Amino acid sequence: MYIVNILKKESKIEGYGVFAGEFIPKGTIVYFYGENEPFISKERFLSLSDDEKNLFYQYGVEDEAGNRLMKVDNINHSCDSSILSLFVDGIYCDIAVKDINPGEEMTIDYGLFFSSFPWSKECRCNSPICRKIFGSGLAVERETQNMWHSRILEAAARILDVKQNLFSLEDANARALTAALESKQNPEIFPYVKFSLIS
Ligand SMILES: [Zn+2]
């Protein structure tokens, strides 16, 4: 769930997008997967119909063990995105890797999502570092991997310096995530690398 103010409205990138409803400084955890959000085990996922599986391909996030999270939001992809994803102690979250101004469309890099069923689409994000194709489960250049790595580390280094709505939530996953983030002073040990396609 988003834990910053957002607006959903028509996007210049594609369809509807997610826009910042307030100033969101770099290092803010903007989204986390709450304890009551649907979690589908790998076994259950494999037993679903093709139509149901397609929903997960479109909106799902797969963890390293092949379990699925249903992340239904309209956030668009950019190869130069303002937020990036990570797992901290197995809990999914998104972190702002740039300062995001009120009214600005927020974007994420779909390429960072692991997928055992790779898919791709032509990209029109128009950023100078556009990879021309985006999707999940695709091999990416070492340069892109290094960029994700350094952007996440830079943002993670500011986690304790910016206001985190996450830290005051009662949700069990929020509390576990808070404890993990507060205890890990060195962002190098965040295990997000396993979640990406970095091999
Ligand atoms: Zn692009």
Side-chain angles (χ1 to χ4, degrees):
M1 68 187 82
Y2 281 98
I3 47 175
V4 292
N5 288 323
I6 57 146
L7 306 164
K8 293 190 182 183
K9 57 180 187 176
E10 225 168 307
S11 160
K12 283 186 183 141
I13 302 174
E14 190 181 352
Y16 275 72
V18 173
F19 293 74
E22 61 182 325
F23 175 68
I24 301 168
K26 180 163 129 179
T28 306
I29 303 294
V30 301
Y31 182 105
F32 82 104
Y33 210 71
E35 61 177 328
N36 293 322
E37 295 187 81
F39 176 88
I40 308 287
S41 69
K42 183 181 179 182
E43 293 67 37
R44 177 132 177 261
F45 175 75
L46 293 173
S47 73
L48 297 177
S49 70
D50 285 350
D51 281 353
E52 288 167 323
K53 279 182 185 157
N54 278 335
L55 272 180
F56 278 94
Y57 295 146
Q58 210 175 346
Y59 299 110
V61 174
E62 182 175 348
D63 74 11
E64 295 165 58
N67 303 310
R68 303 263 167 173
L69 313 178
M70 184 61 110
K71 188 169 185 275
V72 182
D73 72 34
N74 300 91
I75 192 153
N76 277 312
H77 164 90
S78 168
C79 301
D80 187 17
S81 67
S82 55
I83 71 175
L84 287 172
S85 309
L86 62 154
F87 270 88
V88 178
D89 287 355
I91 302 171
Y92 176 88
C93 58
D94 294 330
I95 188 169
V97 294
K98 298 179 182 186
D99 286 340
I100 308 169
N101 289 312
E104 190 182 321
E105 179 162 9
M106 295 159 67
T107 52
I108 199 163
D109 196 322
Y110 290 9
L112 194 54
F113 294 134
F114 176 76
S115 173
S116 47
F117 296 87
W119 61 272
S120 64
K121 213 173 152 183
E122 192 186 331
C123 188
R124 292 193 209 91
C125 77
N126 289 325
S127 81
I129 54 169
C130 183
R131 303 192 295 275
K132 310 297 177 204
I133 191 161
F134 74 94
S136 300
L138 309 175
V140 294
E141 301 285 334
R142 174 62 59 181
E143 206 175 79
T144 302
Q145 299 177 13
N146 290 344
M147 182 192 77
W148 288 336
H149 187 92
S150 61
R151 287 186 178 185
I152 290 178
L153 288 189
E154 230 184 82
R158 295 174 62 170
I159 281 175
L160 301 181
D161 300 330
V162 298
K163 180 176 162 260
Q164 301 288 359
N165 293 334
L166 175 78
F167 293 174
S168 55
L169 299 177
E170 287 304 314
D171 180 284
N173 283 0
R175 287 203 304 272
L177 198 48
T178 297
L181 293 171
E182 286 182 336
S183 66
K184 290 176 180 173
Q185 296 296 325
N186 180 359
E188 286 282 356
I189 61 176
F190 289 174
Y192 73 90
V193 171
K194 289 184 201 158
F195 180 58
S196 77
L197 296 165
I198 295 172
S199 55

